[in-house]
Amino acid sequence: MSLVVFPFKREDPGNLLKNVKIASAHPRVEEVLCVGFEEDDCFRTLAAAAPKLSKEQGKPVKVMVQERLGELRPGKGDGMNTALRYFLEETDHQRLHFYDADIVSFSEEWITKAEEAADQGYDVVRHYFPRASTDAMITWFITRTGFALLWPKSVLPWIEQPLGGELLLTREAARGLLADHRVRRQSDWGIDTLYTFSMVKQGFSLYETYMGVGKLHKLYGALTDLKTMLVECFAAIQSLRGIELTELSTHQVEFPGPVPPEVKEKLGYDLERTLPLLCRDWTPEEEDLLALFPPEVRAGMEACRSFPKFSFMDEEAWRGAYEVLLDNFQLGQPHWESLLFRLWVARTLNYTAQHALRGYDHALYYLHQMIWRYARLGLRR
Ligand code: GDX
Ligand code: MN
């Protein structure tokens, strides 16, 4: 029997309550836990509704504030790790499910599909779903790129959504994750990267289950909204560099279904609001950092100071830039964070203009081939 967890921070309580009800009504679910960042309005609404819900469903529905467990910015990582600890120390449920609180398209099917794969013996089940060709730009250009360059022979580059917040862990997998000090330390957005890395490092078997309904959730505007997530996801990869993977994880992916037209036609971000981000607010310190980069990257970014440019930031230029970032990037250093963000914006715009504009099928094929090329080439040195 299973525990379902929703980490949340300033979410719409109506939607979260709806998801909690769906989860607690599922026959496999014995308890539902919501872990909040703080006692915000959403937290209070939920805490007030929990006792009645527990009674109606005949199973516990709990709400708690996350503990301070990690060492980085207190964020989703502390929330997820608080839940891991609760699951292992306060319950004897066999499986733990995580779902983002803001999913609008949540249904009992998400739980059922994960349970079915776990019944087949997989240690970890991860949900994946169709995403617009200009969505998931951190996943493709930071996480999967980094996994391919650094651990090309492992299953890591081939995990469809390594940052996804929807997954099932068996008790054994949960124990393995919480025992990893790097996981416990990762209190910020880097947590998804760390969970993924740690489960592969420990050789847990992985199944990716396909949710054709897709994940409808809160949307972003310009790419700036993603800056903190970008910086923390990159720093997470950087912190793992040099660790060798010796265990062999098995990895199965459910074959995807047809991609709905809404997803194929969706625009992932606002182009007009993103372009000026390349030119705006350069400081002399940030300009100085460009000296570390390969000539084509340096020249391209220097030109950006007066006009948005991105044709230079192709796959190969990004590989060179990524390597310099791995060696030099400093989390918490504003000039580095700004430059990482700008380089990634240039890469995202380049891909949008060169590939996403050619249509969904071309774009997704390109992205997968790109990961394959990175895995073959590795780092330049
Ligand atoms: N307890 C807690 N504490 N929950 C948090 C916090 C926090 O500090 N920050 C965010 N959350 C919750 C949030 O309420 C939601 O339920 C979930 O975490 C994900 O946050 P959201 O703002 O919806 O992020 P987004 O962009 O949808 O990100 C998801 O996809 C990313 C990705 O695939 O790129 C999320 O699962 C990320 O972890 C993932 O990196
Ligand atoms: Mn979301």
Side-chain angles (χ1 to χ4, degrees):
M1 294 296 267
S2 301
L3 170 70
V4 170
V5 173
F6 296 96
F8 70 99
K9 178 178 179 178
R10 291 174 214 139
E11 293 295 347
D12 165 18
N15 191 62
L16 178 49
L17 268 174
K18 178 177 144 255
N19 292 347
V20 167
K21 281 185 199 157
I22 293 169
S24 67
H26 196 284
R28 288 289 186 95
V29 174
E30 230 164 22
E31 180 174 353
V32 178
L33 171 67
C34 301
V35 183
F37 172 72
E38 59 187 355
E39 288 199 30
D40 57 12
D41 286 345
C42 182
F43 183 96
R44 281 185 285 271
T45 309
L46 245 89
K52 185 160 162 275
L53 265 178
S54 305
K55 207 141 140 223
E56 275 169 20
Q57 310 278 5
K59 338 176 166 173
V61 173
K62 291 189 184 151
V63 188
M64 63 166 74
V65 175
Q66 68 192 40
E67 296 168 66
R68 182 60 178 134
L69 300 172
E71 293 166 18
L72 302 167
R73 182 186 64 83
K76 182 170 178 252
D78 274 345
M80 292 181 81
N81 287 337
T82 298
L84 268 193
R85 218 164 103 165
Y86 174 83
F87 171 69
L88 290 168
E89 292 174 8
E90 310 286 330
T91 81
D92 52 15
H93 307 309
Q94 285 311 298
R95 295 169 184 168
L96 164 61
H97 295 240
F98 280 110
Y99 298 103
D100 280 2
D102 66 329
I103 311 182
V104 178
S105 52
F106 189 67
S107 70
E108 59 163 40
E109 195 192 357
W110 291 67
I111 299 173
T112 303
K113 288 201 72 178
E115 288 282 331
E116 282 172 0
D119 290 347
Q120 289 298 103
Y122 289 95
D123 301 312
V124 176
V125 187
R126 311 182 54 105
H127 298 75
Y128 85 106
F129 34 83
R131 297 181 78 172
S133 63
T134 46
D135 208 358
M137 296 291 93
I138 298 179
T139 297
W140 285 110
F141 298 127
I142 300 294
T143 313
R144 292 186 71 167
T145 291
F147 283 167
L149 292 173
L150 294 168
W151 299 281
K153 303 243 166 77
S154 75
V155 303
L156 286 171
W158 311 111
I159 296 176
E160 281 294 327
Q161 283 165 24
L163 300 181
E166 295 72 34
L167 68 165
L168 173 153
L169 304 169
T170 56
R171 211 171 166 88
E172 201 196 343
R175 211 180 283 121
L177 291 185
L178 195 65
D180 183 340
H181 70 275
R182 287 194 183 83
V183 166
R184 291 198 307 274
R185 166 180 181 273
Q186 199 76 38
S187 46
D188 60 9
W189 285 119
I191 192 63
D192 305 291
T193 308
L194 265 286
Y195 274 24
T196 301
F197 187 84
S198 186
M199 60 185 63
V200 169
K201 183 169 190 323
Q202 297 183 56
F204 290 118
S205 56
L206 262 55
Y207 187 80
E208 290 190 88
T209 186
Y210 182 76
M211 299 305 301
V213 293
K215 175 177 160 184
L216 305 174
H217 64 132
K218 265 182 331 210
L219 280 181
Y220 295 103
L223 293 177
T224 15
D225 298 350
L226 287 167
K227 188 171 168 194
T228 308
M229 198 183 271
L230 164 79
V231 159
E232 294 178 356
C233 288
F234 180 79
I237 297 270
Q238 191 189 29
S239 77
L240 296 168
R241 182 186 195 183
I243 301 179
E244 279 187 43
L245 296 176
T246 46
E247 297 284 326
L248 286 182
S249 242
T250 58
H251 175 227
Q252 284 290 325
V253 188
E254 181 181 348
F255 192 78
V259 178
E262 309 85 81
V263 174
K264 285 194 169 181
E265 289 160 15
K266 197 182 114 184
L267 300 171
Y269 63 93
D270 183 333
L271 200 58
E272 194 176 3
R273 283 169 62 201
T274 299
L275 282 171
L277 303 175
L278 286 173
C279 315
R280 201 183 279 159
D281 306 326
W282 280 88
T283 60
E285 292 89 339
E286 187 179 345
E287 286 178 22
D288 287 346
L289 298 176
L290 290 176
L292 296 163
F293 287 82
E296 76 273 25
V297 174
R298 184 166 65 226
M301 293 309 284
E302 277 170 359
C304 277
R305 292 173 305 174
S306 39
F307 193 81
K309 306 237 351 142
F310 46 80
S311 60
F312 65 94
M313 193 58 98
D314 57 14
E315 193 174 311
E316 191 47 27
W318 181 241
R319 185 163 72 104
Y322 200 101
E323 191 164 322
V324 173
L325 288 164
L326 281 173
D327 285 340
N328 297 283
F329 175 77
Q330 291 171 30
L331 179 64
Q333 223 277 14
H335 308 299
W336 267 118
E337 293 190 353
S338 173
L339 185 57
L340 165 61
F341 177 66
R342 253 191 254 276
L343 290 161
W344 169 79
V345 167
R347 178 67 189 121
T348 299
L349 288 166
N350 176 287
Y351 154 78
T352 302
Q354 297 296 323
H355 300 286
L357 279 180
R358 297 190 196 176
Y360 182 86
D361 295 329
H362 168 87
L364 269 284
Y365 184 64
Y366 167 76
L367 289 168
H368 284 93
Q369 292 298 107
M370 171 191 84
I371 295 303
W372 173 244
R373 285 187 289 272
Y374 281 149
R376 276 199 303 120
L377 293 168
L379 294 174
R380 281 186 181 178
R381 104 183 73 77

